[in-house]
């Protein structure tokens, strides 16, 4: 009773750090519910991932074997997981609220005909969860009623699992799929390669907004600061919509949620939708020429200045700090 | 082709949201209600498909109360052909909403259900995927580009670390992301015409699906407010405080 299954996301055998956050949340939930926590992994490279995940304190790792799960697709994955959930009698199925987790888990919930809580940020002792609503302006305590419960966890709300003393056993399970329910086809993944840290994993995030005025300025003005600080780069929706930077850099209510040690907002006004994605950062810096900009209401340190002057200065000042 | 577009009524995104002192809900006085922005994108996409194909029908559906007619009329003024208001006095959870929409979809037999990826009130991001599963249809969430060629649909999706392309035959469920399109405004003639467009008013109970909520909200609270810090006078001072005081660089 009270068992938890954590769905492990990966791409070709590599998993993001957010996966370990999901595992940690799963371990916490299982401990509170008096059950055990297993991880489940499928697809190309699953063996490598399973061997790695087995080190992080889970009771076991299940590898779902089935050639048609080679590349993740929502319909096939939901089918395979639903069968597994029924056969194991798990109480909760959990995934990190990444793009993939958000795509899959509601489909699984519907397949099992059970409710789901999205992006939980806390697990209460009484079995309820806490999740943000209204761009983080409201926290709801929710209860899921059903033989099975589905949750996604917000990556910023839990720590990553740490390696444990024992390595978990790996169990191979042949997945059963009903071919009639497999209607989706994977065509291509157009990866945006970057040498910078992952936005959701970085210790420092430097984000730019509409104030940067162009994609060229992101390159020539903001990126030197990003790199000097060893940071990940983020952006406001306005900057993404204008095509200055790729979609997956958007921080906010409807983009990525980050909580680094240091968040530097450059030329970003601080709309509630943006704040929703970064207001839990440890230290927030805002550089904006408008002293009334709402971003200053959440900033620990605010600099009222023209970014085109301040950012290059900051690059130079950073060099001095480092040497 | 028929396209079904679910529409939710939500507070305008610029609204400052306040939790009621007893935690039972949010204060709704002075709230301006609008179509969920992602659903507007869904309506726009449906209209563009219809315009491109030169035929078809865009049907809106809302599950809510009498007042939700306003948002349906706005969608009709944008150009949708007709609307269905499924009445319920108590709010339903995403699972029940998806059941209702799936039931209407199985009656209407649309080629596509296009729906916002999330509603900006509860931020759940669940309903589209649930409808797809209830209908046994393929899904493409977080769509930023959609192409139709006959019965085949190719969608570019906003995934982590890049863009993913998936393909499938219709019927299917698409959930919209911000970059899919820029929704049009309702024109004055559009608003006039919308008044005469059919708006079917039915009760949720009449559909015979399970409506009992299984996701229960026990209470709402306001999160701790972050305190504003201080202004620094120069870049030099900024870097110094980050180094010595915040110790983050
Ligand atoms: C449904 C919905 C979802 C949304 N989701 C998100 C989301 O996830 N993330 C998000 O960020 N937004 C989101 N938004 C948009 C949000 O409401 C704001 O429009 C957006 O965040 C504004 O981006 P910005 O701050 O870059 O631009 P603006 O608000 O235009 O601000 C630009 C800032 O730059 C400053 N500036 C200009 N020039 C200079 C200069 N030379 N030096 C210094 N400062 C300068 C200005 O003073 C201003 O404060 C969403 C909106 C909706 C409706």
């Amino acid at each position: 009773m009270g068992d938890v299954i954590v769905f492990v996301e990966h791409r070709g055998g590599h998993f993001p750090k957010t996966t370990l956050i999901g595992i940690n949340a799963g371990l916490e939930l299982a401990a509170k519910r008096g059950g055990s926590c297993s991880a489940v992994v499928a697809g190309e490279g699953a063996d490598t991932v399973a061997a790695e995940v087995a080190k992080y304190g889970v009771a076991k790792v299940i590898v779902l074997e089935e050639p048609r799960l080679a590349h993740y697709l929502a319909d096939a994955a939901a089918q395979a997981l639903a069968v597994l959930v029924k056969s194991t009698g798990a109480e909760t199925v959990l995934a990190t609220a990444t793009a993939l987790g958000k795509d899959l888990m509601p489909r699984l919930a519907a397949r099992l005909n059970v409710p789901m809580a999205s992006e939980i940020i806390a697990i209460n002792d009484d079995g309820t969860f806490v999740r943000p609503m209204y761009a983080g302006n409201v926290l709801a305590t929710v209860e899921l009623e059903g033989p099975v419960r589905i949750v996604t966890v917000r990556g910023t709300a839990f720590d990553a699992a740490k390696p444990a003393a024992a390595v978990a056993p790996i169990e191979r399970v042949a997945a059963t799929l009903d071919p009639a329910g497999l209607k989706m086809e994977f065509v291509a993944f157009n990866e945006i390669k970057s040498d910078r840290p992952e936005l959701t994993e970085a210790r420092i995030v430097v984000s730019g907004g509409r104030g940067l005025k162009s994609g060229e300025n992101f390159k020539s003005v903001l990126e030197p600061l990003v790199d000097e600080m060893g940071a990940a780069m983020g952006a406001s929706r306005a900057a993404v919509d204008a095509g200055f930077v790729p979609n997956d850099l958007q921080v906010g209510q409807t983009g990525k949620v980050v909580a680094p040690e240091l968040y530097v907002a450059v030329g970003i006004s601080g709309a509630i939708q943006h704040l929703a994605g970064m207001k839990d950062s440890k230290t927030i810096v805002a550089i904006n020429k408008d002293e009334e900009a709402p971003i200053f209401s959440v900033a620990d340190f605010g600099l009222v200045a023209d970014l085109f002057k301040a950012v290059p200065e900051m690059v130079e000042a950073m060099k001095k700090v480092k040497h | 082709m028929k396209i079904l577009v679910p529409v939710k009524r939500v507070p305008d995104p610029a609204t400052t949201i306040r939790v009621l002192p007893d935690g039972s809900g949010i204060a709704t006085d002075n709230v301006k209600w609008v179509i969920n922005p992602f659903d507007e994108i869904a309506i726009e996409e449906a209209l563009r498909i219809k315009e491109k194909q030169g035929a078809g029908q865009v049907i809106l559906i809302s599950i809510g109360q009498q007042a939700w007619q306003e948002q349906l009329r706005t969608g009709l003024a944008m150009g949708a052909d007709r609307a269905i208001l499924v009445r319920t006095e108590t709010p339903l959870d995403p699972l029940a909403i998806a059941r209702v929409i799936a039931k209407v979809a199985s009656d209407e037999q649309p080629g596509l259900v296009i729906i916002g990826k999330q509603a900006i009130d509860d931020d759940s991001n669940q309903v589209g995927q649930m409808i797809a599963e209830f209908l046994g249809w393929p899904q493409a969430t977080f769509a930023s580009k959609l192409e139709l060629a006959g019965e085949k649909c190719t969608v570019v999706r906003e995934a982590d670390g890049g863009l993913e392309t998936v393909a499938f035959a219709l019927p299917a469920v698409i959930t919209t992301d911000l970059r899919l399109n820029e929704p049009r405004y309702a024109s004055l003639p559009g608003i006039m015409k919308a008044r005469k467009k059919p708006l079917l008013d039915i009760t949720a109970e009449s559909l015979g699906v399970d409506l009992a909520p299984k996701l229960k909200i026990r209470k709402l609270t306001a999160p701790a407010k972050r305190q504003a810090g201080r202004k620094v006078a120069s870049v030099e001072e900024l870097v110094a405080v980050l180094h010595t005081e915040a110790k983050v660089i």
Side-chain angles (χ1 to χ4, degrees), chain A residues 102-103 107 111 113 118 131 134 139 141 143 145 183 188 190 192 241 250 254 279 281 299-300 302, chain B residues 99 117 121-122 124 126 129 133 136-137 139 141 161 163 165 179 214 216 218-219 221 226 229 232:
Chain A
K102 292 174 185 177
D103 182 57
R107 183 147 192 150
R111 186 148 188 106
N113 212 4
S118 303
R131 58 173 306 266
Y134 296 94
L139 298 181
T141 303
E143 186 181 337
E145 225 173 67
K183 295 175 178 166
N190 200 342
I192 298 160
D241 281 1
Q250 181 181 316
T254 60
K279 70 177 160 47
S281 305
D300 298 283
Chain B
R99 267 192 216 105
K117 76 164 179 179
D121 54 359
D122 71 357
S124 277
Q126 296 182 8
Q129 297 88 313
E133 178 57 38
W137 291 1
Q139 73 186 45
T141 52
L163 294 171
T165 308
R179 261 63 66 173
K214 291 186 179 154
K216 295 193 167 140
R218 289 289 169 230
K219 71 163 191 272
T221 53
R226 197 181 171 109
V232 291

